[in-house]
Amino acid sequence: HGQAGEILHALAVGGGDTRVSRESEFFARRLAEVARAVLLGRQLLLLDEPLAGLTEDQHAVVLGLARRAAESGSRVILVEHLVPVVAPVVDKLVVLAGGVVIADGPPADVLADEAVIDAYLGSALVVES
């Protein structure tokens, strides 16, 4: 529990209502996977679709944990289709279409790229950094 509990407490996860739903169980499992990866202190942390099936509030918790890993010196790679959700919290955005990189760089630049707009967004997104 130790270090994992401290991280979860710092992220304000746990405590409060102790009733468990299927959704909260799913979130707890997903968060435990990410927390475990962060706790291992690896140089590289690869998170494949860590936000799948989670709510917006849960997205914030998982992304906060990933940011904490990055600030602790890990390289964090998120493979995620929720581009508008991850764009505000990442340093670099790489977008692929059909297995080919169509844009690579700072999120604001990538989200303004015509190829990205056509392939994924439909209209330009503005990212506050």
Side-chain angles (χ1 to χ4, degrees):
H1 187 268
Q3 194 175 9
E6 289 173 22
I7 288 176
L8 295 177
H9 178 72
L11 293 168
V13 176
D17 191 350
T18 58
R19 291 175 294 176
V20 176
S21 69
R22 189 180 321 230
E23 292 80 16
S24 64
E25 239 178 73
F26 176 76
F27 174 57
R29 282 195 313 272
R30 179 61 52 92
L31 189 60
E33 292 167 2
V34 176
R36 181 178 178 275
V38 171
L39 289 172
L40 291 174
R42 304 287 193 223
Q43 289 180 325
L44 177 66
L45 177 60
L46 174 61
L47 301 174
D48 186 14
E49 301 268 349
L51 307 180
L54 302 182
T55 67
E56 288 182 27
D57 289 341
Q58 294 167 340
H59 291 170
V61 173
V62 172
L63 292 173
L65 193 53
R67 174 50 66 187
R68 181 176 177 145
E71 290 169 354
S72 296
S74 295
R75 288 215 182 247
V76 180
I77 299 173
L78 292 169
V79 177
E80 186 58 66
H81 70 279
L82 299 174
V83 176
V85 176
V86 299
V89 298
V90 299
D91 299 321
K92 181 179 180 179
L93 196 57
V94 178
V95 178
L96 290 89
V100 176
V101 174
I102 60 172
D104 177 356
D109 295 347
V110 169
L111 294 176
D113 186 288
E114 287 298 322
V116 174
I117 293 168
D118 290 344
Y120 289 100
L121 305 175
S123 62
L125 291 178
V126 176
V127 176
E128 301 291 328
S129 37

